[in-house]
Amino acid sequence: MTDVESGTAPLPWQRAAWQQLNAGAERGRLPHALLLSGVSGTGKRLFARAFAQRILCQAPEQGCACGVCRACAQFQAGSHPDYHELGIPEDKTVITVPLVRELIGALSLTSQYGGRRVALIEPADAMNTAAANALLKTLEEPGSDTLLMLVTARPARLPATIRSRCQVLRMLPPSADDALAWLSAHAPRKDWPVLLGLAGNAPLAALRLAAAPESGTRLEMFHALADMAAGKLNPLGYAREWSAKDADVLLILRLFQSWIMDLIALANGADGAVINRDAMPLLQSTVQGIHLRGLHAMLARLNEAVALTGTTVNRQLLMESLLMAWADGLKTLEAAPLAARGTGT
């Protein structure tokens, strides 16, 4: 567990929301169910876990968990008997009815510490219809001293019956300046503005991006894409290199998308919208002679490819198809759709 994940206090941009909830806790007027929503990568789950620990702490200090009492020690070890987390199992793609029923059963038991029982469901929108319906009865008839926290970046995917029975707390992202200040304090890097832009201004997503090996070779990848467009590099060989490295294909596609979006911005004269500003000279040289229509077609292909990464698509064939289209000078992009829909990985 990282320092960020194990914190007992809210992140700087979460303080207003924390004060609102903490005031209710001190008055004994917390809702039985909270729906925490907001942009992915801004720390909603961390907020929920820190607040759960604060509720279960035996000796809160200045509105936060003390971090040293027996309850806090058990919480940090993942063994607190009155705290339960529910997420998507590794072998599943959704949260199913048996998992929700198991959670409901745990919440119906008497509190081991004689206080609240707290449960966290994240991502809450991963519950299938039957699972959401199973949870609904608990929301309609909550047990005493029970706090249920649902965390999601996509609240609209939850049934309206679930949303209407929760107190909604929308977690606002920090400003770019505040996010950069926090990231710089966490680790000094010159490329935080670029990484933050790639992460959609979500600081925790930027932190994860910084830790990914692929982000460290981002500029090298852009040079390779420029060389492919100029006919100086074999796209098939480069696709095989990525496969041999067991690279994160989704992240590579996201970086590829950012490259194309930056070229579109330059082609439209919107230099200020460029994300990869440290690659500006390379972008400016690459955009020369490329038609805007072809760039938009390439971006559409990349969007389709991102959606395919969640299927059984052959990832090497997917990358080969994309890179060959790019290296071919964007001439064939509006012809057939992606031809990499084979099974296997």
Side-chain angles (χ1 to χ4, degrees):
M1 184 178 291
T2 67
D3 292 340
V4 174
E5 292 172 327
S6 61
T8 59
L11 296 168
W13 55 91
Q14 299 173 336
R15 286 171 185 155
W18 184 276
Q19 289 169 359
Q20 175 186 339
L21 279 185
N22 195 53
E26 291 179 348
R27 294 195 304 267
R29 298 183 61 183
L30 279 177
H32 67 274
L34 279 170
L35 175 59
L36 285 70
S37 67
V39 178
S40 180
T42 54
K44 297 182 300 299
R45 181 177 180 274
L46 298 183
F47 180 98
R49 291 193 89 255
F51 191 72
Q53 185 174 349
R54 178 259 179 271
I55 292 300
L56 298 171
C57 176
Q58 295 171 316
E61 296 178 351
Q62 298 180 340
C64 296
C66 70
V68 296
C69 69
R70 182 186 176 195
C72 283
Q74 286 185 307
F75 188 95
Q76 293 290 2
S79 59
H80 196 293
D82 295 330
Y83 177 70
H84 311 276
E85 283 194 17
L86 179 56
I88 304 173
E90 290 186 4
D91 60 340
K92 305 287 185 181
T93 58
V94 296
I95 296 174
T96 58
V97 170
L99 295 172
V100 170
R101 286 177 177 162
E102 183 179 347
L103 175 66
I104 293 171
L107 292 176
S108 67
L109 300 175
T110 302
S111 167
Q112 295 286 320
Y113 278 82
R116 285 185 177 272
R117 291 151 299 165
V118 183
L120 168 62
I121 302 179
E122 192 272 336
D125 59 277
M127 290 186 292
N128 60 23
T129 302
N133 287 337
L135 183 67
L136 188 57
K137 183 173 177 60
T138 297
L139 292 176
E140 291 172 338
E141 301 174 8
S144 60
D145 293 325
T146 299
L147 175 61
L148 184 62
M149 293 187 285
L150 280 63
V151 179
T152 177
R154 297 173 292 190
R157 294 194 176 189
L158 284 169
T161 49
I162 295 287
R163 298 197 306 269
S164 66
R165 287 164 174 79
C166 298
Q167 178 176 310
V168 178
L169 185 62
R170 179 155 180 79
M171 310 294 291
L172 299 176
S175 67
D177 288 343
D178 288 345
L180 287 173
W182 182 79
L183 288 167
S184 298
H186 186 82
R189 288 182 65 127
K190 293 182 179 179
D191 59 350
W192 277 131
V194 173
L195 294 175
L196 187 62
L198 290 170
N201 289 322
L204 270 70
L207 205 60
R208 291 192 293 269
L209 187 57
E214 291 79 8
S215 66
T217 58
R218 176 176 52 89
L219 294 178
E220 177 185 322
M221 172 186 170
F222 293 161
H223 278 281
L225 290 172
D227 286 345
M228 284 180 221
K232 300 177 182 178
L233 184 63
N234 183 345
L236 295 180
Y238 200 61
R240 283 192 290 271
E241 274 186 45
W242 276 337
S243 298
K245 294 176 182 176
D246 194 27
D248 184 337
V249 174
L250 180 58
L251 178 52
I252 288 172
L253 292 175
R254 294 293 191 193
L255 293 174
F256 200 166
Q257 284 177 316
S258 75
W259 166 259
I260 298 299
M261 288 189 289
D262 283 350
L263 289 172
I264 291 173
L266 287 178
N268 283 317
D271 297 26
V274 170
I275 297 172
N276 298 286
R277 302 200 65 80
D278 50 357
M280 185 67 85
L282 184 63
L283 286 161
Q284 289 172 329
S285 63
T286 303
V287 78
Q288 301 301 320
I290 294 181
H291 293 293
L292 187 58
R293 186 176 180 182
L295 289 172
H296 280 290
M298 187 75 220
L299 184 58
R301 277 202 158 208
L302 284 166
N303 293 340
E304 182 184 358
V306 166
L308 287 174
T309 58
T311 69
T312 56
V313 65
N314 185 306
R315 297 189 176 193
Q316 181 173 332
L317 292 179
L318 181 68
M319 292 307 306
E320 288 177 357
S321 175
L322 289 167
L323 294 179
M324 285 178 65
W326 170 254
D328 195 36
L330 312 178
K331 296 174 184 176
T332 61
L333 293 175
E334 296 177 84
L338 290 172
R341 300 177 190 272
T343 59
T345 56

